[in-house]
Amino acid sequence: MNRPLKKILTLSSLSLLLGSQTLLPPLPAQAQIFDGFTGCPAGTREGAINLVTNGSFATSPGVVNAPLPNGNPAGFLSDLPYRADGAYPDDNPAPPTPLGGLAIQTGSINFLNGIVLGQPFPGDAANGVAPSNTYLYSNPNASANTPLVAGSAFPNPIIWRQILPGLRPNASYNFTAYFFNLLNPADPNNANAIDPIIQFLAGPPGGANTAFVPTLQGTTVGRTQTWTRVQGLFRTTNQTSLELRIVDQANSVNGDDFGLTAVGFRECIPILGVAKQAGTPVQNADGTYTIPYTLRVRNFAPANSTQFDLLNLQLTDNLAQAFASATLNSVSGIQSPTLTVNAGFNGGTNQNLLQGTDTLPSGTTATITFNVNITPGTGANGFGPFNNTTTATATSQGGSPVSDQSNDGANADSDNDGNPANNNVPTTVSLSPSGGGGSGAFRLVKRITNVIRNGTQLSGVNFGAFVDGAGDDDNAPGFTQLQPGNAPIGQINLDPTTVKLQSGDDVEYSVYYLSDGTGTAIDVSICDPIPSGTSLTANTTQIRRNNGAIATSGTVFAPLAPLPAGNTCPDATNQNGTVIFDLGDVPNTAGSNFGLVRFRVRVN
């Protein structure tokens, strides 16, 4: 390494002395990134699609005692010559046979009366890798006396290389292979033999060695007569293809015999999970019931790792099927602090809750809330139980589809095994025919009424406008009593294409209420969980009855604190904190049957 550096410095000095405009060529850029030897990180999984061709060497190159040609059927190239299928690639054959080299083996092998022993790969169930009866025997040799064997020359021969097209930029891939030290540890002839040292490299197809990563010492494969998994995690930046290399750094003819198979290059795919929680159904004066739902969708991958962001997030919910034994009247109040909701979602003819263009960043959870209004049926199961499941889908950076079926409650992975796919209990709701809670109809409309950044209201958003929510109660006549605006003003959602919430932003929520049933609404409480990814801003919980003065009110429950018995909160486990506003009895008399509650949260 010192010699090239000295040459560069000398040329640079010469150019300066002569006043030349000639520029030295830059060193090749190492655009791909090596992320370590531990494989796909927690919160991701290794995909099923292997981008390597013929990784288990089931197909022969079809050559004998010759270098591997481009386009050979085996799909790989090597610095070593290929001897023959099933051959022992010995170090001292009669000329002009190449020295050492490669040979695909099938099943168990025994060469040199037990000095060299091999067996087929039994598979790796824990990592989802199938068994293989074929494997590549590698025996590098340092001699380079004739053109026929020049490919065997040290140092650090490339045992296997292959170009992989069709990759995606900013995606994470795990490079894996299994190795078997073929030297019999019980044979005294192998006492001083050298073990193979395996290095994985990735770089631009046909690029110089300096463009490949990592430049680290490889992994030694010991004489255990078992198959050893070696892996390296690589990340693309702007590439759509890579050349993969497996290098042997042992550089010795004394030993260094090994088998290789099950070569793989698979995307590390983020794990997606969704939880669905139903709040307490509320009976309305007209005999219908309103059921509040909260969805929490989570990207389990490590936070702040854009290679694990999930694209085109969508949530679908077939409410018509869930409430088939009742009448599905409407869906209202669908909103999310961070996702772009589909205002036309009705759970029947339109089952998409989102626009389908959102990105769910790695390590984050997004929340969606909505209300369902139904009329109980008259037949069996008319009052429930109603079982309901939401499906979450998205696409990884590498183009792999991911999905999950919702789990009841606030935790998509309730058994905490890192796999939400085995937690998919439907969310169940049953109605009480006796109703309870009063004879009055009680309407709630929630809006975002301010965003404060660095002490100043965020510009470019009209928080004083009325936004008509599809299927919402915001057009109920009683809401015209509200001042200012004669309506429940504020934004339903913030457009993520124009408003990018930042850490430290304060978001203000206002929940407008209206009692307009046939009687007084009895003992009313409004429960509002703090959205995921935020924290309640201290001393911001307020209430305004009718159009009177706004006053401090509400009871704050810290995250995981027990909630009072009989509460109507959608998250019984109180994962992120809750505010409960006790309104008491709210009459249905105009002039005193409306108001709002309000609080602020700070983006984490």
Side-chain angles (χ1 to χ4, degrees):
M1 186 171 181
N2 291 333
R3 185 173 298 168
L5 180 59
K6 181 177 180 181
K7 182 177 181 181
I8 290 174
L9 290 173
T10 302
L11 288 172
S12 178
S13 301
L14 181 62
S15 296
L16 289 172
L17 288 172
L18 297 178
S20 171
Q21 299 301 310
T22 303
L23 298 178
L24 294 173
L27 292 175
Q30 296 179 345
Q32 64 287 340
I33 298 171
F34 176 67
D35 283 330
F37 297 105
T38 55
C40 295
T44 71
R45 61 178 177 83
E46 195 172 287
I49 299 176
N50 185 7
L51 301 176
V52 168
T53 300
N54 194 33
S56 293
F57 304 99
T59 301
S60 167
V63 299
V64 176
N65 294 333
L68 289 170
N70 287 320
N72 73 80
F76 72 97
L77 296 175
S78 177
D79 287 350
L80 308 187
Y82 191 80
R83 295 289 292 273
D85 296 348
Y88 168 58
D90 54 312
D91 292 306
N92 299 295
T97 303
L99 307 183
L102 306 174
I104 293 176
Q105 308 293 333
T106 301
S108 299
I109 59 172
N110 183 333
F111 294 125
L112 305 180
N113 297 317
I115 295 177
V116 174
L117 297 176
Q119 56 187 266
F121 174 58
D124 182 358
N127 288 293
V129 182
S132 173
N133 200 41
T134 51
Y135 50 97
L136 184 69
Y137 185 157
S138 171
N139 181 24
N141 189 285
S143 178
N145 296 324
T146 70
L148 185 62
V149 298
S152 295
F154 295 147
N156 299 339
I158 299 172
I159 307 302
W160 175 97
R161 65 180 177 182
Q162 187 174 107
I163 294 175
L164 272 58
L167 305 182
R168 297 283 188 95
N170 193 32
S172 181
Y173 298 92
N174 199 29
F175 186 6
T176 60
Y178 291 79
F179 296 85
F180 191 101
N181 191 322
L182 296 170
L183 299 181
N184 181 1
D187 193 297
N189 292 290
N190 296 326
N192 298 314
I194 302 299
D195 294 327
I197 302 173
I198 303 301
Q199 184 187 46
F200 284 179
L201 295 172
N209 290 338
T210 52
F212 281 71
V213 296
T215 55
L216 303 174
Q217 185 69 14
T219 300
T220 300
V221 180
R223 274 163 273 174
T224 62
Q225 286 287 290
T226 59
W227 286 92
T228 299
R229 177 180 171 98
V230 177
Q231 59 189 1
L233 188 63
F234 292 86
R235 179 175 11 131
T236 56
T237 53
N238 58 357
Q239 308 96 319
T240 56
S241 64
L242 283 176
E243 179 180 321
L244 304 184
R245 296 177 178 179
I246 296 176
V247 172
D248 182 10
Q249 297 179 312
N251 296 329
S252 174
V253 294
N254 182 17
D256 198 17
D257 293 52
F258 64 91
L260 159 66
T261 197
V263 185
F265 198 74
R266 298 174 174 86
E267 185 189 4
C268 293
I269 301 173
I271 294 174
L272 174 67
V274 59
K276 183 170 190 176
Q277 195 165 41
T280 303
V282 176
Q283 185 180 20
N284 304 309
D286 59 1
T288 64
Y289 286 75
T290 300
I291 306 167
Y293 284 101
T294 299
L295 292 168
R296 296 174 178 85
V297 57
R298 177 182 173 187
N299 183 336
F300 282 76
N304 303 314
S305 303
T306 58
Q307 70 271 31
F308 298 126
D309 289 352
L310 286 169
L311 311 177
N312 302 320
L313 179 68
Q314 184 58 272
L315 299 168
T316 58
D317 204 325
N318 189 344
L319 296 173
Q321 182 183 66
F323 295 102
S325 60
T327 300
L328 176 62
N329 298 319
S330 65
V331 177
S332 64
I334 179 171
Q335 55 187 310
S336 171
T338 56
L339 302 177
T340 309
V341 299
N342 171 24
F345 167 67
N346 59 22
T349 58
N350 190 334
Q351 298 180 11
N352 293 331
L353 284 91
L354 303 176
Q355 295 288 350
T357 57
D358 288 297
T359 294
L360 185 63
S362 61
T364 66
T365 298
T367 303
I368 306 95
T369 57
F370 61 94
N371 299 313
V372 176
N373 182 270
I374 66 169
T375 301
T378 57
N381 301 320
F383 281 81
F386 304 107
N387 296 321
N388 182 226
T389 297
T390 297
T391 300
T393 59
T395 304
S396 70
Q397 292 282 358
S400 300
V402 295
S403 64
D404 187 50
Q405 301 289 314
S406 64
N407 187 46
D408 184 40
N411 189 353
D413 183 28
S414 53
D415 61 3
N416 296 313
D417 67 347
N419 179 21
N422 59 17
N423 299 265
N424 51 11
V425 177
T427 300
T428 300
V429 171
S430 294
L431 306 178
S432 172
S434 61
S439 60
F442 204 78
R443 306 179 192 273
L444 297 175
V445 174
K446 187 174 183 178
R447 294 291 186 264
I448 299 172
T449 49
N450 210 346
V451 175
I452 305 297
R453 179 173 295 167
N454 298 325
T456 304
Q457 178 173 302
L458 191 67
S459 62
V461 182
N462 186 359
F463 294 105
F466 169 68
V467 180
D468 188 5
D472 213 332
D473 286 334
D474 52 17
N475 285 306
F479 277 132
T480 60
Q481 303 172 89
L482 286 165
Q483 293 295 331
N486 301 112
I489 59 175
Q491 297 293 318
I492 299 176
N493 295 286
L494 299 177
D495 185 352
T497 62
T498 58
V499 179
K500 300 289 187 181
L501 289 179
Q502 301 175 4
S503 176
D505 286 352
D506 280 346
V507 181
E508 180 182 85
Y509 291 99
S510 295
V511 181
Y512 301 93
Y513 65 85
L514 174 66
S515 174
D516 63 351
T518 58
T520 297
I522 307 299
D523 196 18
V524 175
S525 292
I526 298 177
C527 178
D528 209 344
I530 306 305
S532 300
T534 69
S535 303
L536 180 67
T537 305
N539 304 316
T540 62
T541 59
Q542 299 174 318
I543 185 172
R544 188 179 76 176
R545 298 179 185 271
N546 311 314
N547 287 320
I550 199 159
T552 300
S553 183
T555 303
V556 177
F557 294 85
L560 302 179
L563 299 176
N567 71 83
T568 59
C569 301
D571 181 6
T573 60
N574 188 23
Q575 291 291 309
N576 200 47
T578 298
V579 182
I580 295 180
F581 298 91
D582 293 318
L583 306 183
D585 297 346
V586 182
N588 64 344
T589 307
S592 58
N593 64 338
F594 66 98
L596 64 84
V597 298
R598 176 175 289 166
F599 63 93
R600 290 182 182 179
V601 299
R602 180 158 296 171
V603 179
N604 294 342

mmCIF file with all atom_site columns, all heavy atoms in Angstrom, residues 568-587:
data_model
loop_
_atom_site.group_PDB
_atom_site.id
_atom_site.type_symbol
_atom_site.label_atom_id
_atom_site.label_alt_id
_atom_site.label_comp_id
_atom_site.label_asym_id
_atom_site.label_entity_id
_atom_site.label_seq_id
_atom_site.pdbx_PDB_ins_code
_atom_site.Cartn_x
_atom_site.Cartn_y
_atom_site.Cartn_z
_atom_site.occupancy
_atom_site.B_iso_or_equiv
_atom_site.pdbx_formal_charge
_atom_site.auth_seq_id
_atom_site.auth_comp_id
_atom_site.auth_asym_id
_atom_site.auth_atom_id
_atom_site.pdbx_PDB_model_num
ATOM 1   N N   . THR A 1 568 ? -63.996 4.724  28.593 1.00 0.00 ? 568 THR A N   1
ATOM 2   C CA  . THR A 1 568 ? -64.316 4.444  27.192 1.00 0.00 ? 568 THR A CA  1
ATOM 3   C C   . THR A 1 568 ? -63.088 4.568  26.304 1.00 0.00 ? 568 THR A C   1
ATOM 4   O O   . THR A 1 568 ? -63.213 4.758  25.093 1.00 0.00 ? 568 THR A O   1
ATOM 5   C CB  . THR A 1 568 ? -65.401 5.414  26.696 1.00 0.00 ? 568 THR A CB  1
ATOM 6   O OG1 . THR A 1 568 ? -64.916 6.755  26.832 1.00 0.00 ? 568 THR A OG1 1
ATOM 7   C CG2 . THR A 1 568 ? -66.683 5.247  27.478 1.00 0.00 ? 568 THR A CG2 1
ATOM 8   N N   . CYS A 1 569 ? -61.912 4.473  26.896 1.00 0.00 ? 569 CYS A N   1
ATOM 9   C CA  . CYS A 1 569 ? -60.685 4.690  26.130 1.00 0.00 ? 569 CYS A CA  1
ATOM 10  C C   . CYS A 1 569 ? -60.435 3.540  25.153 1.00 0.00 ? 569 CYS A C   1
ATOM 11  O O   . CYS A 1 569 ? -60.640 2.368  25.500 1.00 0.00 ? 569 CYS A O   1
ATOM 12  C CB  . CYS A 1 569 ? -59.492 4.817  27.076 1.00 0.00 ? 569 CYS A CB  1
ATOM 13  S SG  . CYS A 1 569 ? -59.665 6.165  28.260 1.00 0.00 ? 569 CYS A SG  1
ATOM 14  N N   . PRO A 1 570 ? -59.962 3.865  23.936 1.00 0.00 ? 570 PRO A N   1
ATOM 15  C CA  . PRO A 1 570 ? -59.692 2.804  22.958 1.00 0.00 ? 570 PRO A CA  1
ATOM 16  C C   . PRO A 1 570 ? -58.471 1.960  23.302 1.00 0.00 ? 570 PRO A C   1
ATOM 17  O O   . PRO A 1 570 ? -58.349 0.846  22.827 1.00 0.00 ? 570 PRO A O   1
ATOM 18  C CB  . PRO A 1 570 ? -59.478 3.582  21.650 1.00 0.00 ? 570 PRO A CB  1
ATOM 19  C CG  . PRO A 1 570 ? -59.055 4.942  22.078 1.00 0.00 ? 570 PRO A CG  1
ATOM 20  C CD  . PRO A 1 570 ? -59.768 5.204  23.369 1.00 0.00 ? 570 PRO A CD  1
ATOM 21  N N   . ASP A 1 571 ? -57.543 2.495  24.108 1.00 0.00 ? 571 ASP A N   1
ATOM 22  C CA  . ASP A 1 571 ? -56.330 1.763  24.471 1.00 0.00 ? 571 ASP A CA  1
ATOM 23  C C   . ASP A 1 571 ? -56.358 1.465  25.971 1.00 0.00 ? 571 ASP A C   1
ATOM 24  O O   . ASP A 1 571 ? -55.934 2.281  26.794 1.00 0.00 ? 571 ASP A O   1
ATOM 25  C CB  . ASP A 1 571 ? -55.098 2.593  24.107 1.00 0.00 ? 571 ASP A CB  1
ATOM 26  C CG  . ASP A 1 571 ? -53.793 1.866  24.448 1.00 0.00 ? 571 ASP A CG  1
ATOM 27  O OD1 . ASP A 1 571 ? -53.867 0.693  24.854 1.00 0.00 ? 571 ASP A OD1 1
ATOM 28  O OD2 . ASP A 1 571 ? -52.725 2.491  24.301 1.00 0.00 ? 571 ASP A OD2 1
ATOM 29  N N   . ALA A 1 572 ? -56.850 0.295  26.303 1.00 0.00 ? 572 ALA A N   1
ATOM 30  C CA  . ALA A 1 572 ? -56.975 -0.061 27.715 1.00 0.00 ? 572 ALA A CA  1
ATOM 31  C C   . ALA A 1 572 ? -55.625 -0.197 28.405 1.00 0.00 ? 572 ALA A C   1
ATOM 32  O O   . ALA A 1 572 ? -55.525 -0.065 29.624 1.00 0.00 ? 572 ALA A O   1
ATOM 33  C CB  . ALA A 1 572 ? -57.762 -1.367 27.844 1.00 0.00 ? 572 ALA A CB  1
ATOM 34  N N   . THR A 1 573 ? -54.567 -0.451 27.612 1.00 0.00 ? 573 THR A N   1
ATOM 35  C CA  . THR A 1 573 ? -53.237 -0.618 28.209 1.00 0.00 ? 573 THR A CA  1
ATOM 36  C C   . THR A 1 573 ? -52.515 0.710  28.392 1.00 0.00 ? 573 THR A C   1
ATOM 37  O O   . THR A 1 573 ? -51.457 0.747  29.010 1.00 0.00 ? 573 THR A O   1
ATOM 38  C CB  . THR A 1 573 ? -52.381 -1.553 27.354 1.00 0.00 ? 573 THR A CB  1
ATOM 39  O OG1 . THR A 1 573 ? -52.248 -0.988 26.034 1.00 0.00 ? 573 THR A OG1 1
ATOM 40  C CG2 . THR A 1 573 ? -53.022 -2.929 27.239 1.00 0.00 ? 573 THR A CG2 1
ATOM 41  N N   . ASN A 1 574 ? -53.050 1.783  27.806 1.00 0.00 ? 574 ASN A N   1
ATOM 42  C CA  . ASN A 1 574 ? -52.494 3.129  27.986 1.00 0.00 ? 574 ASN A CA  1
ATOM 43  C C   . ASN A 1 574 ? -51.007 3.165  27.645 1.00 0.00 ? 574 ASN A C   1
ATOM 44  O O   . ASN A 1 574 ? -50.165 3.571  28.439 1.00 0.00 ? 574 ASN A O   1
ATOM 45  C CB  . ASN A 1 574 ? -52.723 3.598  29.426 1.00 0.00 ? 574 ASN A CB  1
ATOM 46  C CG  . ASN A 1 574 ? -52.339 5.057  29.630 1.00 0.00 ? 574 ASN A CG  1
ATOM 47  O OD1 . ASN A 1 574 ? -52.300 5.834  28.687 1.00 0.00 ? 574 ASN A OD1 1
ATOM 48  N ND2 . ASN A 1 574 ? -52.045 5.410  30.868 1.00 0.00 ? 574 ASN A ND2 1
ATOM 49  N N   . GLN A 1 575 ? -50.669 2.754  26.427 1.00 0.00 ? 575 GLN A N   1
ATOM 50  C CA  . GLN A 1 575 ? -49.270 2.620  26.025 1.00 0.00 ? 575 GLN A CA  1
ATOM 51  C C   . GLN A 1 575 ? -48.509 3.941  26.028 1.00 0.00 ? 575 GLN A C   1
ATOM 52  O O   . GLN A 1 575 ? -47.336 3.986  26.395 1.00 0.00 ? 575 GLN A O   1
ATOM 53  C CB  . GLN A 1 575 ? -49.204 1.998  24.623 1.00 0.00 ? 575 GLN A CB  1
ATOM 54  C CG  . GLN A 1 575 ? -49.640 0.548  24.570 1.00 0.00 ? 575 GLN A CG  1
ATOM 55  C CD  . GLN A 1 575 ? -48.664 -0.365 25.273 1.00 0.00 ? 575 GLN A CD  1
ATOM 56  O OE1 . GLN A 1 575 ? -47.465 -0.312 25.014 1.00 0.00 ? 575 GLN A OE1 1
ATOM 57  N NE2 . GLN A 1 575 ? -49.154 -1.200 26.163 1.00 0.00 ? 575 GLN A NE2 1
ATOM 58  N N   . ASN A 1 576 ? -49.163 5.037  25.618 1.00 0.00 ? 576 ASN A N   1
ATOM 59  C CA  . ASN A 1 576 ? -48.417 6.284  25.429 1.00 0.00 ? 576 ASN A CA  1
ATOM 60  C C   . ASN A 1 576 ? -48.995 7.455  26.228 1.00 0.00 ? 576 ASN A C   1
ATOM 61  O O   . ASN A 1 576 ? -48.624 8.598  26.005 1.00 0.00 ? 576 ASN A O   1
ATOM 62  C CB  . ASN A 1 576 ? -48.385 6.640  23.932 1.00 0.00 ? 576 ASN A CB  1
ATOM 63  C CG  . ASN A 1 576 ? -47.274 7.609  23.605 1.00 0.00 ? 576 ASN A CG  1
ATOM 64  O OD1 . ASN A 1 576 ? -46.132 7.432  24.017 1.00 0.00 ? 576 ASN A OD1 1
ATOM 65  N ND2 . ASN A 1 576 ? -47.605 8.663  22.851 1.00 0.00 ? 576 ASN A ND2 1
ATOM 66  N N   . GLY A 1 577 ? -49.865 7.163  27.170 1.00 0.00 ? 577 GLY A N   1
ATOM 67  C CA  . GLY A 1 577 ? -50.481 8.233  27.949 1.00 0.00 ? 577 GLY A CA  1
ATOM 68  C C   . GLY A 1 577 ? -51.871 8.575  27.439 1.00 0.00 ? 577 GLY A C   1
ATOM 69  O O   . GLY A 1 577 ? -52.204 8.339  26.274 1.00 0.00 ? 577 GLY A O   1
ATOM 70  N N   . THR A 1 578 ? -52.701 9.127  28.305 1.00 0.00 ? 578 THR A N   1
ATOM 71  C CA  . THR A 1 578 ? -54.108 9.380  27.992 1.00 0.00 ? 578 THR A CA  1
ATOM 72  C C   . THR A 1 578 ? -54.570 10.625 28.749 1.00 0.00 ? 578 THR A C   1
ATOM 73  O O   . THR A 1 578 ? -54.102 10.907 29.854 1.00 0.00 ? 578 THR A O   1
ATOM 74  C CB  . THR A 1 578 ? -54.973 8.169  28.403 1.00 0.00 ? 578 THR A CB  1
ATOM 75  O OG1 . THR A 1 578 ? -54.563 7.027  27.649 1.00 0.00 ? 578 THR A OG1 1
ATOM 76  C CG2 . THR A 1 578 ? -56.450 8.415  28.158 1.00 0.00 ? 578 THR A CG2 1
ATOM 77  N N   . VAL A 1 579 ? -55.528 11.340 28.138 1.00 0.00 ? 579 VAL A N   1
ATOM 78  C CA  . VAL A 1 579 ? -56.223 12.426 28.820 1.00 0.00 ? 579 VAL A CA  1
ATOM 79  C C   . VAL A 1 579 ? -57.712 12.096 28.846 1.00 0.00 ? 579 VAL A C   1
ATOM 80  O O   . VAL A 1 579 ? -58.281 11.718 27.818 1.00 0.00 ? 579 VAL A O   1
ATOM 81  C CB  . VAL A 1 579 ? -56.008 13.783 28.117 1.00 0.00 ? 579 VAL A CB  1
ATOM 82  C CG1 . VAL A 1 579 ? -56.704 14.894 28.898 1.00 0.00 ? 579 VAL A CG1 1
ATOM 83  C CG2 . VAL A 1 579 ? -54.531 14.088 27.964 1.00 0.00 ? 579 VAL A CG2 1
ATOM 84  N N   . ILE A 1 580 ? -58.329 12.203 30.013 1.00 0.00 ? 580 ILE A N   1
ATOM 85  C CA  . ILE A 1 580 ? -59.764 11.988 30.150 1.00 0.00 ? 580 ILE A CA  1
ATOM 86  C C   . ILE A 1 580 ? -60.402 13.290 30.646 1.00 0.00 ? 580 ILE A C   1
ATOM 87  O O   . ILE A 1 580 ? -59.967 13.856 31.662 1.00 0.00 ? 580 ILE A O   1
ATOM 88  C CB  . ILE A 1 580 ? -60.081 10.838 31.112 1.00 0.00 ? 580 ILE A CB  1
ATOM 89  C CG1 . ILE A 1 580 ? -59.554 9.509  30.542 1.00 0.00 ? 580 ILE A CG1 1
ATOM 90  C CG2 . ILE A 1 580 ? -61.588 10.740 31.360 1.00 0.00 ? 580 ILE A CG2 1
ATOM 91  C CD1 . ILE A 1 580 ? -59.816 8.305  31.433 1.00 0.00 ? 580 ILE A CD1 1
ATOM 92  N N   . PHE A 1 581 ? -61.396 13.744 29.901 1.00 0.00 ? 581 PHE A N   1
ATOM 93  C CA  . PHE A 1 581 ? -62.154 14.940 30.274 1.00 0.00 ? 581 PHE A CA  1
ATOM 94  C C   . PHE A 1 581 ? -63.541 14.504 30.766 1.00 0.00 ? 581 PHE A C   1
ATOM 95  O O   . PHE A 1 581 ? -64.307 13.895 30.004 1.00 0.00 ? 581 PHE A O   1
ATOM 96  C CB  . PHE A 1 581 ? -62.320 15.876 29.076 1.00 0.00 ? 581 PHE A CB  1
ATOM 97  C CG  . PHE A 1 581 ? -61.010 16.396 28.515 1.00 0.00 ? 581 PHE A CG  1
ATOM 98  C CD1 . PHE A 1 581 ? -60.348 15.706 27.502 1.00 0.00 ? 581 PHE A CD1 1
ATOM 99  C CD2 . PHE A 1 581 ? -60.454 17.562 28.997 1.00 0.00 ? 581 PHE A CD2 1
ATOM 100 C CE1 . PHE A 1 581 ? -59.164 16.188 26.981 1.00 0.00 ? 581 PHE A CE1 1
ATOM 101 C CE2 . PHE A 1 581 ? -59.254 18.051 28.484 1.00 0.00 ? 581 PHE A CE2 1
ATOM 102 C CZ  . PHE A 1 581 ? -58.603 17.360 27.474 1.00 0.00 ? 581 PHE A CZ  1
ATOM 103 N N   . ASP A 1 582 ? -63.871 14.776 32.008 1.00 0.00 ? 582 ASP A N   1
ATOM 104 C CA  . ASP A 1 582 ? -65.185 14.455 32.570 1.00 0.00 ? 582 ASP A CA  1
ATOM 105 C C   . ASP A 1 582 ? -66.103 15.668 32.415 1.00 0.00 ? 582 ASP A C   1
ATOM 106 O O   . ASP A 1 582 ? -65.893 16.723 33.045 1.00 0.00 ? 582 ASP A O   1
ATOM 107 C CB  . ASP A 1 582 ? -65.048 14.067 34.046 1.00 0.00 ? 582 ASP A CB  1
ATOM 108 C CG  . ASP A 1 582 ? -64.296 12.762 34.229 1.00 0.00 ? 582 ASP A CG  1
ATOM 109 O OD1 . ASP A 1 582 ? -64.550 11.819 33.452 1.00 0.00 ? 582 ASP A OD1 1
ATOM 110 O OD2 . ASP A 1 582 ? -63.438 12.690 35.139 1.00 0.00 ? 582 ASP A OD2 1
ATOM 111 N N   . LEU A 1 583 ? -67.121 15.523 31.561 1.00 0.00 ? 583 LEU A N   1
ATOM 112 C CA  . LEU A 1 583 ? -68.035 16.631 31.277 1.00 0.00 ? 583 LEU A CA  1
ATOM 113 C C   . LEU A 1 583 ? -69.281 16.605 32.141 1.00 0.00 ? 583 LEU A C   1
ATOM 114 O O   . LEU A 1 583 ? -70.025 17.589 32.184 1.00 0.00 ? 583 LEU A O   1
ATOM 115 C CB  . LEU A 1 583 ? -68.446 16.609 29.797 1.00 0.00 ? 583 LEU A CB  1
ATOM 116 C CG  . LEU A 1 583 ? -67.315 16.605 28.758 1.00 0.00 ? 583 LEU A CG  1
ATOM 117 C CD1 . LEU A 1 583 ? -67.909 16.645 27.358 1.00 0.00 ? 583 LEU A CD1 1
ATOM 118 C CD2 . LEU A 1 583 ? -66.382 17.769 28.976 1.00 0.00 ? 583 LEU A CD2 1
ATOM 119 N N   . GLY A 1 584 ? -69.527 15.472 32.797 1.00 0.00 ? 584 GLY A N   1
ATOM 120 C CA  . GLY A 1 584 ? -70.770 15.360 33.556 1.00 0.00 ? 584 GLY A CA  1
ATOM 121 C C   . GLY A 1 584 ? -71.957 15.190 32.620 1.00 0.00 ? 584 GLY A C   1
ATOM 122 O O   . GLY A 1 584 ? -71.831 14.635 31.520 1.00 0.00 ? 584 GLY A O   1
ATOM 123 N N   . ASP A 1 585 ? -73.122 15.663 33.035 1.00 0.00 ? 585 ASP A N   1
ATOM 124 C CA  . ASP A 1 585 ? -74.320 15.597 32.199 1.00 0.00 ? 585 ASP A CA  1
ATOM 125 C C   . ASP A 1 585 ? -74.313 16.770 31.228 1.00 0.00 ? 585 ASP A C   1
ATOM 126 O O   . ASP A 1 585 ? -74.097 17.926 31.617 1.00 0.00 ? 585 ASP A O   1
ATOM 127 C CB  . ASP A 1 585 ? -75.586 15.646 33.051 1.00 0.00 ? 585 ASP A CB  1
ATOM 128 C CG  . ASP A 1 585 ? -75.698 14.447 33.989 1.00 0.00 ? 585 ASP A CG  1
ATOM 129 O OD1 . ASP A 1 585 ? -74.938 13.477 33.778 1.00 0.00 ? 585 ASP A OD1 1
ATOM 130 O OD2 . ASP A 1 585 ? -76.512 14.496 34.922 1.00 0.00 ? 585 ASP A OD2 1
ATOM 131 N N   . VAL A 1 586 ? -74.568 16.484 29.966 1.00 0.00 ? 586 VAL A N   1
ATOM 132 C CA  . VAL A 1 586 ? -74.607 17.537 28.937 1.00 0.00 ? 586 VAL A CA  1
ATOM 133 C C   . VAL A 1 586 ? -76.020 17.586 28.359 1.00 0.00 ? 586 VAL A C   1
ATOM 134 O O   . VAL A 1 586 ? -76.454 16.618 27.721 1.00 0.00 ? 586 VAL A O   1
ATOM 135 C CB  . VAL A 1 586 ? -73.568 17.268 27.827 1.00 0.00 ? 586 VAL A CB  1
ATOM 136 C CG1 . VAL A 1 586 ? -73.606 18.402 26.791 1.00 0.00 ? 586 VAL A CG1 1
ATOM 137 C CG2 . VAL A 1 586 ? -72.167 17.119 28.410 1.00 0.00 ? 586 VAL A CG2 1
ATOM 138 N N   . PRO A 1 587 ? -76.746 18.654 28.585 1.00 0.00 ? 587 PRO A N   1
ATOM 139 C CA  . PRO A 1 587 ? -78.118 18.729 28.100 1.00 0.00 ? 587 PRO A CA  1
ATOM 140 C C   . PRO A 1 587 ? -78.181 18.806 26.581 1.00 0.00 ? 587 PRO A C   1
ATOM 141 O O   . PRO A 1 587 ? -77.182 19.098 25.920 1.00 0.00 ? 587 PRO A O   1
ATOM 142 C CB  . PRO A 1 587 ? -78.642 20.010 28.742 1.00 0.00 ? 587 PRO A CB  1
ATOM 143 C CG  . PRO A 1 587 ? -77.428 20.841 28.962 1.00 0.00 ? 587 PRO A CG  1
ATOM 144 C CD  . PRO A 1 587 ? -76.328 19.882 29.270 1.00 0.00 ? 587 PRO A CD  1
#
